[in-house]
Amino acid sequence: PLDGSFDLLYLTDQLFNRVVLYEMQSDPLSQTFSALADPTRFAILSAIAWGGARTIRDVAERIGRRPGSLYRHFDVLESLGLISRAGTVETARRDARLYEADKDLRFVYDAKNPDVTEAINNLVASAARNAARSFARAATSNPVTRGPLRDTLMVTKSGWLTDDELATYNRKLDELRDFLMSCERRPGTRLIHTTTIVSPGASRAAPMDVQS
């Protein structure tokens, strides 16, 4: 039975109210997660799902990559059914192909299947490695680490939260996600990377004794 769920796009700064469940066999699902362990494909899917139909050049501008470096990644995502062609748009040079993605993408998986869980773990590890590489580059190129224009920061914190406090925490993460994804490339802007990985601790606090 499928007894787990994985909101793929939540890890790429997406969360939506309406959920479409894709019940897939373990092998294709493992292939999908393995393909998305590539941070470029992750970023492409996120940009299209959030911004609607886009050309390869649009996506390249959004994620800070050269268009020519993205074609093979688009082919992989299309072969997995994660993106699809949505017509063309006229440009100065030629008609450019548009791609779209389901804005409500969520996968349902068997939490006891070791192949699938390993692929998910590899995907999260890939996101963490990509964040570490980005941080290392920033740390050697005049980072701003203090003040309102701080652009380089590493935070690891834990807290004991009630259910209400956890809901507040997630709401604030959602607000940050929405803000970042609404900020398109414009004159005077620079690309800022943020990676958030949230996980519960291994235990809960014991109930407090109430003394009269």
Side-chain angles (χ1 to χ4, degrees):
L2 297 169
D3 57 2
S5 66
F6 179 72
D7 193 338
L8 172 68
L9 295 186
Y10 186 72
L11 293 181
T12 59
D13 297 327
Q14 306 284 331
L15 184 63
F16 305 97
N17 293 328
R18 185 172 65 84
V19 174
V20 177
L21 298 180
Y22 291 83
E23 297 189 5
M24 304 174 66
Q25 298 299 318
S26 60
D27 287 347
L29 192 53
S30 296
Q31 293 171 10
T32 297
F33 289 143
S34 295
L36 290 173
D38 184 298
T40 300
R41 292 172 196 151
F42 220 35
I44 290 171
L45 183 57
S46 176
I48 296 175
W50 181 267
R54 294 179 184 241
T55 66
I56 291 179
R57 184 171 294 276
D58 292 336
V59 173
E61 185 175 273
R62 169 74 203 186
I63 68 176
R65 297 289 298 271
R66 297 189 309 276
S69 68
L70 301 184
Y71 284 93
R72 63 184 179 88
H73 296 298
F74 270 75
D75 288 342
V76 171
L77 292 172
E78 187 177 11
S79 70
L80 292 168
L82 296 173
I83 62 175
S84 59
R85 301 180 187 187
T88 60
V89 61
E90 185 177 348
T91 68
R93 299 178 59 185
R94 61 178 183 274
D95 287 351
R97 183 174 294 152
L98 287 167
Y99 292 87
E100 62 184 2
D102 195 323
K103 194 177 180 181
D104 305 296
L105 188 63
R106 177 176 287 189
F107 296 100
V108 176
Y109 69 96
D110 182 356
K112 297 181 177 63
N113 186 302
D115 293 334
V116 175
T117 54
E118 180 182 4
I120 293 173
N121 290 336
N122 289 340
L123 189 153
V124 175
S126 174
R129 287 194 301 271
N130 191 53
R133 286 193 295 266
S134 179
F135 185 89
R137 287 193 298 269
T140 59
S141 58
N142 300 318
V144 179
T145 59
R146 294 178 181 274
L149 297 182
R150 178 176 59 192
D151 60 12
T152 305
L153 173 69
M154 193 282 288
V155 176
T156 176
K157 296 291 184 182
S158 300
W160 293 91
L161 305 181
T162 65
D163 288 347
D164 286 344
E165 290 165 344
L166 181 59
T168 298
Y169 175 72
N170 279 298
R171 185 170 62 252
K172 292 182 181 298
L173 286 180
D174 292 347
E175 291 171 358
L176 174 61
R177 169 210 64 205
D178 292 347
F179 170 73
L180 288 173
M181 294 302 294
S182 69
C183 296
E184 299 286 347
R185 183 173 179 174
R186 308 172 307 285
T189 60
R190 52 184 166 168
L191 188 61
I192 300 295
H193 295 288
T194 299
T195 299
T196 303
I197 298 174
V198 180
S199 61
S203 61
R204 287 178 174 264
M208 296 182 64
D209 292 334
V210 179
Q211 298 182 353
S212 57

